[in-house]
Amino acid sequence: MSYENIVRYFIIETNWLELYQQVIVAFTDPTKRVFWGYLLLSVFVAFVWLRWFKRKDSKQAFFTIFSRKVWWSQSAKADYAIFLINKLSFLFIAPLIITQLAVATWLFEYLHELLGYRIIIGDEWPKWIIVTLFTLTYFLLDDFSRFYVHKLLHEVPALWLFHKTHHSARTLTPITVFRTHPVEGIIFALRSVLVQGILIALFVFFFGPKADLYTVLGVGLFAFLFNTLGANLRHSHIGIGYPDWLERFLISPVQHQIHHSTDPQHFDKNYGVILAIWDRLFNSLVVSTRGQLLAFGLSREEKKGEQNLLFIYFAPFKELSSLLKAKEPANKSKGEKLKI
């Protein structure tokens, strides 16, 4: 199929109303990280941080948060375009991905066949105990699976070729969370499906209809707390750190910014999303220090093309082909400095 036919196919086949709804939902649905309420809370947290901890006056704090150099950089513009293109792409990809219901149904039936009967645990337990157990188990498994998949994306050369799309951002904004190659998007979608499907099947099989999540505004309790306490600042230029002892348990915004650092001592560090304990277990934890200089982006050789959309989407496949032929690992390198 020629390039012109591909473009024509997307134009004809795309449900533009559905695309518009998907974009709007990203900012209006409390289950999404960039829900407008979470964004406003992040602005508030950043303002308080800059005003009282960095001793900036209100005007300085405001212009630091909404710096044009950050929000309207070439990197940020690429983020916005990738966000829209990926939303469009997943209108076609999403129907092809197996659902958590399919996974849960298969595992539920498999357990029936394997055991020959159904075991109900805690039939006399109060529902709140089962709900608490399900919520905590889901949080831990979800957070660990995010950590481990992220670790693989960095340490498996073929996967890094696609994940480095995310690390090609030279300025960080909350929209940078969407700066992912569709291949990575599929990987994380499958991760979510498997985690949810397996847990739903296991808890419903062993605990019956009492299995449920504690939710706030339709969001799992821990995810809601994560989003309200400034998750969007992880991808930002506001370097909020926690005390050392706390950063050994929870990943602070600046610890994730360290993860984006081009300093070789920061490579393959701080994979965690919420909990830092996984990084501690795998010796990949780095705590923050005051006044750090961080560089975001990829090597000078890649700098010319790293904000080009065609390069972002198609270069990984070309590099993968070369990698498979040469069997040489992909390398990460230096970028530009940014004081946090």
Side-chain angles (χ1 to χ4, degrees):
M1 183 181 289
S2 67
Y3 174 77
E4 291 78 8
N5 286 336
I6 293 174
V7 172
R8 188 177 298 111
Y9 171 80
F10 271 92
I11 291 175
I12 294 173
E13 294 297 323
T14 298
N15 184 329
W16 295 103
L17 176 59
E18 186 176 351
L19 175 62
Y20 171 78
Q21 290 171 338
Q22 287 293 317
V23 172
I24 296 301
V25 162
F27 299 97
T28 58
D29 184 350
T31 65
K32 310 298 182 184
R33 184 187 294 186
V34 292
F35 168 59
W36 66 266
Y38 303 145
L39 291 172
L40 283 180
L41 284 170
S42 295
V43 170
F44 175 75
V45 170
F47 184 85
V48 170
W49 172 265
L50 293 170
R51 185 71 178 83
W52 277 274
F53 291 91
K54 294 298 182 180
R55 303 299 181 185
K56 294 180 181 288
D57 62 35
S58 297
K59 184 177 180 180
Q60 288 175 320
F62 178 85
F63 282 104
T64 297
I65 294 170
F66 296 104
S67 170
R68 181 179 175 83
K69 289 183 179 180
V70 173
W71 289 91
W72 206 239
S73 66
Q74 287 301 113
S75 177
K77 291 176 183 177
D79 289 354
Y80 308 146
I82 292 169
F83 167 68
L84 293 174
I85 293 171
N86 284 355
K87 287 294 182 185
L88 173 61
S89 300
F90 268 79
L91 289 180
F92 297 91
I93 296 172
L96 304 178
I97 297 176
I98 190 171
T99 66
Q100 59 262 46
L101 180 60
V103 173
T105 301
W106 175 84
L107 182 55
F108 187 90
E109 295 299 329
Y110 176 76
L111 289 172
H112 261 295
E113 292 180 12
L114 181 66
L115 299 176
Y117 59 93
R118 186 175 173 189
I119 304 171
I120 301 296
I121 300 173
D123 193 37
E124 302 300 322
W125 295 0
K127 183 176 180 179
W128 69 266
I129 292 180
I130 297 174
V131 172
T132 300
L133 182 61
F134 184 44
T135 301
L136 183 59
T137 303
Y138 175 77
F139 164 67
L140 292 173
L141 184 57
D142 185 66
D143 198 58
F144 175 74
S145 65
R146 286 175 186 270
F147 160 83
Y148 199 74
V149 170
H150 192 184
K151 177 179 170 68
L152 292 177
L153 287 170
H154 276 259
E155 298 180 4
V156 176
L159 296 181
W160 166 251
L161 295 177
F162 296 97
H163 182 58
K164 72 177 182 179
T165 292
H166 184 63
H167 282 267
S168 66
R170 292 186 176 271
T171 54
L172 304 181
T173 76
I175 306 303
T176 306
V177 73
F178 298 108
R179 188 191 181 101
T180 58
H181 194 280
V183 169
E184 179 180 342
I186 292 170
I187 291 171
F188 269 99
L190 290 172
R191 179 213 63 84
S192 179
V193 164
L194 289 174
V195 168
Q196 293 180 29
I198 291 171
L199 273 182
I200 290 170
L202 290 175
F203 268 81
V204 171
F205 187 85
F206 290 108
F207 294 97
K210 291 183 180 180
D212 202 355
L213 273 177
Y214 277 122
T215 61
V216 181
L217 299 178
V219 188
L221 177 61
F222 290 103
F224 175 79
L225 292 174
F226 175 62
N227 290 332
T228 55
L229 295 176
N232 286 300
L233 295 173
R234 290 159 53 86
H235 294 108
S236 79
H237 54 295
I238 311 300
I240 297 178
Y242 302 153
D244 282 4
W245 66 267
L246 186 55
E247 286 192 346
R248 296 182 187 280
F249 293 93
L250 298 174
I251 296 290
S252 69
V254 75
Q255 279 179 290
H256 189 72
Q257 292 160 16
I258 287 171
H259 172 74
H260 278 265
S261 169
T262 56
D263 187 333
Q265 68 179 335
H266 295 153
F267 287 174
D268 304 327
K269 303 295 183 182
N270 295 352
Y271 296 123
V273 178
I274 299 178
L275 296 178
I277 58 174
W278 315 125
D279 282 297
R280 289 170 62 190
L281 288 172
F282 286 83
N283 298 314
S284 56
L285 182 69
V286 172
V287 297
S288 64
T289 58
R290 292 185 179 182
Q292 284 178 293
L293 287 173
L294 297 180
F296 306 135
L298 298 173
S299 70
R300 182 173 297 178
E301 290 72 23
E302 294 172 301
K303 181 178 178 180
K304 187 174 181 180
E306 67 188 9
Q307 310 308 327
N308 180 282
L309 295 178
L310 288 176
F311 179 87
I312 286 170
Y313 281 97
F314 295 105
F317 294 108
K318 181 179 179 180
E319 292 173 350
L320 178 62
S321 176
S322 299
L323 181 68
L324 293 175
K325 291 177 181 177
K327 296 183 179 180
E328 293 178 356
N331 294 317
K332 292 168 270 188
S333 188
K334 296 180 180 179
E336 299 171 334
K337 290 184 176 179
L338 179 68
K339 187 173 183 180
I340 60 173

